[in-house]
Amino acid sequence: MACLIPDEQYETQFFGFSPSSFLDGVKGLILDRLSEATEQLEGHLAQIPEEIISKEEVSRGIGLLRQQTDSNYTKTMQKLEAHILGNVMKIPSHVLLPSDVEQQSQVSAPDITLLHAEMEKLRIQLKNEKLMQAKLKDELQDIEQVLEEQQKMKTEVFNEGWIAQLEEAKEKLLFVQGNDEETLAVAAAIQKKAAELQISGSTPNAVQILTNDVLK
């Protein structure tokens, strides 16, 4: 059977199984049926009274039947195997499977050169992509490091104590800004009144009085 396996490779691709394995299954099935029939016959003969046929005769007759059956079985299976493997399940040499049809056309030298060029182009492209991936990986690591440092800075700076100090400073600035606005308004009023008094010829004591009133 080992010498038949290479010859059955194409048949196996076509049928999906090797012809030899198919025949092995068929021969095994027929052999089982012959064995069952012989055993049934032996069982029926054993029920015949020994006055008619003895057990020794039955055993001897079954043995001769097995020998004749085995001889006929071997000859028949040899003919069946030769017919199946040589004619029924043999793929003719001129028949090609669909997957092998493209191999009929011969590849020219320019086609081979073009194919090599395409392969070289793909190799260069693959190399460049690997380099680009390595570069992007390094940049991604740098970005992750920067983000970690920023997060660390936020954690250290924007803590609860710092936020409380910031709110306190904000309130102080608002308070100072409010006082500055009131002070400027009072100063403007004083200057205005002082100018009016100077124009009317009033004494400076009046400016002091006005200044005290405005400040109050």
Side-chain angles (χ1 to χ4, degrees):
M1 292 299 297
C3 63
L4 294 177
I5 292 178
D7 296 335
E8 294 181 356
Q9 290 182 354
Y10 210 62
E11 284 75 12
T12 302
Q13 294 180 28
F14 181 79
F15 293 110
F17 55 86
S18 65
S20 295
S21 63
F22 170 76
L23 281 173
D24 289 341
V26 172
K27 289 189 293 184
L29 181 62
I30 295 175
L31 189 60
D32 291 340
R33 294 294 180 268
L34 289 175
S35 180
E36 291 176 2
T38 304
E39 291 176 357
Q40 290 178 0
L41 178 59
E42 186 177 6
H44 290 306
L45 293 176
Q47 297 177 2
I48 298 176
E50 292 192 13
E51 295 81 13
I52 300 175
I53 182 172
S54 64
K55 292 183 179 180
E56 290 78 8
E57 291 177 334
V58 171
S59 178
R60 186 169 56 254
I62 292 297
L64 293 174
L65 177 63
R66 290 182 187 277
Q67 291 179 1
Q68 188 63 39
T69 301
D70 291 343
S71 178
N72 293 335
Y73 168 81
T74 302
K75 293 178 182 179
T76 303
M77 288 299 103
Q78 288 177 349
K79 293 180 181 180
L80 177 64
E81 184 174 4
H83 179 66
I84 293 296
L85 297 179
N87 300 291
V88 178
M89 302 185 71
K90 182 67 176 178
I91 304 298
S93 58
H94 65 277
V95 176
L96 291 176
L97 294 177
S99 58
D100 297 334
V101 172
E102 296 181 357
Q103 299 180 5
Q104 284 184 306
S105 58
Q106 298 295 327
V107 181
S108 62
D111 292 336
I112 296 177
T113 303
L114 180 61
L115 179 60
H116 288 168
E118 290 293 333
M119 292 175 62
E120 183 64 23
K121 181 179 178 181
L122 291 175
R123 278 195 291 265
I124 295 175
Q125 183 177 355
L126 178 60
K127 182 179 179 180
N128 293 335
E129 289 180 356
K130 289 183 178 180
L131 293 175
M132 182 62 67
Q133 289 178 358
K135 183 177 180 181
L136 291 176
K137 184 178 180 181
D138 293 339
E139 292 181 355
L140 181 60
Q141 291 178 350
D142 294 339
I143 293 174
E144 291 178 352
Q145 184 177 359
V146 170
L147 291 176
E148 291 178 359
E149 293 177 355
Q150 290 180 349
Q151 184 63 33
K152 182 179 179 181
M153 184 181 298
K154 290 180 180 178
T155 304
E156 294 177 353
V157 175
F158 295 100
N159 50 41
E160 294 181 357
W162 188 89
I163 294 176
Q165 294 178 3
L166 181 63
E167 291 294 334
E168 183 179 355
K170 179 180 178 182
E171 292 178 358
K172 290 181 179 180
L173 289 174
L174 292 176
F175 177 77
V176 171
Q177 181 181 5
N179 289 339
D180 288 344
E181 292 177 354
E182 293 178 0
T183 301
L184 292 175
V186 170
I190 291 174
Q191 291 177 356
K192 181 178 179 181
K193 292 297 182 180
E196 292 176 355
L197 290 174
Q198 289 178 357
I199 293 173
S200 59
S202 301
T203 62
N205 292 332
V207 176
Q208 285 184 337
I209 295 172
L210 177 62
T211 301
N212 291 334
D213 292 341
V214 173
L215 289 175
K216 292 179 181 179

